[in-house]
Amino acid sequence: MATTKELTIEEKLKALYELQKIDSKIDEITTLRGELPMEVSDLEDEIEGLATRIANLEQETTELKHRLANSELTRKNATEHIEKYEKQRMNVKNNREYEALSKEIDLQQLEIQLADKKIKDATEEIKIKEKYLEESKLRHEGKLQDLEKKKEELKKIIKETELEEDDLRAKSAKASKKIEERLLNAYHRIRRTYKNGLAVVPIERESCGGCLVKVPPQRQVDIRQMKKIIVCENCGRILVDSSLG
């Protein structure tokens, strides 16, 4: 068998076009999967974000409940102190002791007012957080179900096509070995340029099979002779004679 360097231009063109046909079949399989791989990836990212949000909300809610419990305890203690001071005030022996106990009662009442405000604020915040937490959990659950469906759908498509794809990729690798590195790099560069992945196209109705621009008669003759590699002057794709198809 001839080595890569020994290939004629005609053989190079045939090898390139054969590689293009194989890669185009692989592209068809990839297209069949559509946006599913991207959708699965996006869902996984969203689920991870929701899980982080849920964890943060649960921590914030726990801290708020701790603050609420502390405020309730403060209120309880202040109430007990007031009851104690009021009993003591009933048995005072002079005005100085009465005034001192009255000030303590006033301070404890202020403590109760402050605690009541903290209790109210914490209760409202907890209510908001718990609502948001519940919504986030429901959304998280829904996204998990969506992800499961998308994964099953993708798995089914992959299962149906993986044998064919593996075979085609093996053929693509084998066909690539016949092509010199410089030409192969140019082929892949052109493929990346176009969404349909067509880098090698035949002449169809005297026009480029890629961009449909008319090919001059003399260039058509040169393409048929396969004595040199010719690219479309408009789109840069490699042109081959339709007889190779």
Side-chain angles (χ1 to χ4, degrees), residues 20-224:
Q20 177 67 77
K21 288 190 288 185
I22 294 168
D23 286 343
S24 290
K25 288 180 181 177
I26 295 173
D27 292 341
E28 288 176 11
I29 292 174
T30 303
T31 301
L32 179 63
R33 292 173 189 163
E35 299 296 323
L36 273 176
M38 185 66 71
E39 289 175 12
V40 167
S41 178
D42 289 344
L43 275 170
E44 288 174 337
D45 289 343
E46 189 173 355
I47 287 168
E48 184 179 350
L50 283 168
T52 300
R53 182 192 301 172
I54 288 168
N56 290 338
L57 284 168
E58 287 176 337
Q59 182 180 347
E60 291 167 7
T61 303
T62 299
E63 291 172 357
L64 281 168
K65 287 181 177 179
H66 183 66
R67 282 164 47 190
L68 176 61
N70 286 340
S71 296
E72 289 174 339
L73 180 60
T74 298
R75 192 187 195 288
K76 181 176 178 291
N77 291 337
T79 301
E80 290 175 352
H81 281 118
I82 288 173
E83 290 175 356
K84 183 181 72 172
Y85 294 145
E86 284 179 340
K87 287 180 182 179
Q88 290 176 355
R89 194 168 59 173
M90 291 174 66
N91 298 312
V92 295
K93 297 177 180 179
N94 55 59
N95 288 338
R96 185 174 61 80
E97 289 181 4
Y98 185 90
E99 288 176 2
L101 288 168
S102 295
K103 285 182 180 179
E104 287 295 333
I105 291 170
D106 289 342
L107 286 173
Q108 295 303 318
Q109 287 174 339
L110 286 173
E111 199 69 37
I112 288 173
Q113 290 177 14
L114 180 59
D116 284 342
K117 183 179 185 307
K118 288 182 178 180
I119 290 169
K120 180 184 177 183
D121 291 345
T123 301
E124 289 177 354
E125 283 189 65
I126 289 170
K127 186 177 179 180
I128 292 170
K129 295 284 185 187
E130 287 182 336
K131 182 183 178 183
Y132 194 23
L133 179 59
E134 182 63 25
E135 290 173 352
S136 297
K137 285 182 176 179
L138 288 172
R139 183 173 176 80
H140 184 261
E141 183 61 31
K143 292 298 177 182
L144 282 173
Q145 292 175 5
D146 290 345
L147 178 61
E148 189 62 29
K149 290 177 183 176
K150 294 290 183 183
K151 280 186 171 180
E152 282 299 318
E153 190 177 345
L154 181 58
K155 183 179 178 181
K156 183 180 178 182
I157 293 173
I158 290 174
K159 186 176 180 180
E160 290 173 349
T161 59
E162 64 182 346
L163 291 177
E164 181 184 3
E165 184 177 4
D166 288 346
D167 180 57
L168 287 169
R169 290 195 182 281
K171 288 179 178 178
S172 177
K174 185 177 180 181
S176 295
K177 291 179 181 178
K178 298 178 182 178
I179 303 167
E180 63 188 79
E181 186 177 359
R182 179 186 61 81
L183 194 55
L184 187 62
N185 289 338
Y187 165 79
H188 286 302
R189 185 177 66 252
I190 299 169
R191 259 177 65 76
R192 289 193 297 269
T193 302
Y194 297 101
K195 191 174 180 179
N196 61 11
L198 291 177
V200 184
V201 293
I203 296 295
E204 297 175 352
R205 297 181 182 179
E206 302 183 348
S207 301
C208 168
C211 65
L212 306 181
V213 166
K214 198 82 171 178
V215 178
Q218 184 55 51
R219 288 179 71 81
Q220 291 183 47
V221 172
D222 293 338
I223 291 165
R224 279 195 295 272

Side-chain angles (χ1 to χ4, degrees), residues 4-15:
T4 300
K5 291 182 179 179
E6 295 170 342
L7 291 178
T8 65
I9 295 297
E10 181 177 348
E11 288 171 330
K12 289 179 181 180
L13 287 169
K14 287 180 178 178

